[in-house]
Amino acid sequence: MKVVDAGKMDYREAWRLQSEVAQSVLDGGEDTLVLVEHPPVFTLGASFDPQHLLLPEDEIVARGIDVVRTDRGGDVTYHGPGQLVSYPVFDLRRHGQDLHRWLRELEDVHIRALARFGLNGVRFPPHTGVWTGAEPALRKIAAIGVKVRKWVSVHGVALNCDNDLASFELIVPCGIHGYGVTSLSLETGKRTAPDDAKDAVVQGYRDVFAAG
């Protein structure tokens, strides 16, 4: 697995980068993990419900938050400074060729990463993603949305590290009502920036996908 740390990058630019990497992987290249931190943006997935954007789009843009329609699965989510986004551009023919398995493995990556910070990450079926806490106070800490074409996956996982969570109040995150969001900093009580989480996330990918 090749790791590309793209640093801070506009969402659309990162999307273009993934497309280039995906073609390389499709042509037989190495599975590649792209790590990035985005400026504020709401991304709208293939299952986006307009009611889940709680302000008109022009008002959101006026607040300095971009809005981008994407081809990934899922509803609406937020990316912004202080959040670590990982884009595993992998050939799933090397990893079971099973979309449901792929999503569960991405969850496992981040459950393992959270454990390195002393946090218990949990699944919350039927929803995709990673949560902390327990019912009725579950809080989402990692959101997942992917697109698979010719068995090569793009898009990925957003892990809240030290980002301002207020922007999530402008949407219904991932279209799930009644549950909050949280971050590594909030849960650990210690400022945990994306750079602090990269090693844990990369090791999570290596552990889960070591056997192919």
Side-chain angles (χ1 to χ4, degrees):
M1 180 185 77
K2 179 181 178 181
V3 179
V4 175
D5 188 342
K8 294 178 173 61
M9 181 179 285
D10 177 80
Y11 183 85
R12 292 178 178 85
E13 185 179 351
W15 193 357
R16 286 193 293 270
L17 173 61
Q18 290 177 73
S19 297
E20 294 170 4
V21 174
Q23 186 59 54
S24 173
V25 172
L26 185 62
D27 291 341
E30 189 175 8
D31 289 339
T32 301
L33 179 66
V34 179
L35 302 175
V36 67
E37 190 176 350
H38 292 305
V41 58
F42 288 133
T43 64
L44 315 180
S47 302
F48 170 62
D49 182 338
Q51 295 184 42
H52 295 158
L53 205 59
L54 302 181
L55 287 178
E57 188 171 323
D58 58 349
E59 289 187 32
I60 288 171
V61 172
R63 291 177 179 231
I65 303 174
D66 199 2
V67 179
V68 179
R69 285 158 178 79
T70 79
D71 61 352
R72 64 161 174 80
D75 203 298
V76 57
T77 196
Y78 170 75
H79 301 310
Q83 185 188 68
L84 177 61
V85 184
S86 59
Y87 294 124
V89 187
F90 285 17
D91 187 339
L92 301 193
R93 292 171 295 184
R94 304 166 185 164
H95 303 286
Q97 202 164 335
D98 182 323
L99 179 57
H100 293 289
R101 170 180 165 179
W102 174 240
L103 294 173
R104 301 295 80 76
E105 288 175 330
L106 293 181
E107 291 169 343
D108 193 21
V109 166
H110 289 77
I111 288 170
R112 290 168 182 255
L114 292 178
R116 296 186 65 177
F117 293 92
L119 297 178
N120 183 36
V122 298
R123 293 182 172 90
F124 181 32
H127 307 297
T128 299
V130 179
W131 306 67
T132 60
E135 284 276 37
L138 280 169
R139 303 170 298 281
K140 195 168 195 179
I141 195 167
I144 298 175
V146 302
K147 168 73 174 181
V148 174
R149 186 178 70 86
K150 297 183 179 179
W151 289 109
V152 174
S153 184
V154 292
H155 301 294
V157 190
L159 175 65
N160 295 332
C161 296
D162 193 46
N163 45 308
D164 181 4
L165 301 178
S167 294
F168 285 99
E169 297 174 7
L170 304 179
I171 61 174
V172 178
C174 303
I176 303 170
H177 293 271
Y179 294 91
V181 293
T182 190
S183 66
L184 276 172
S185 292
L186 194 60
E187 294 297 322
T188 63
K190 177 183 177 182
R191 185 175 184 273
T192 309
D195 282 346
D196 301 320
K198 286 177 181 176
D199 286 349
V201 169
V202 170
Q203 190 59 50
Y205 277 100
R206 293 196 189 282
D207 290 346
V208 171
F209 296 107

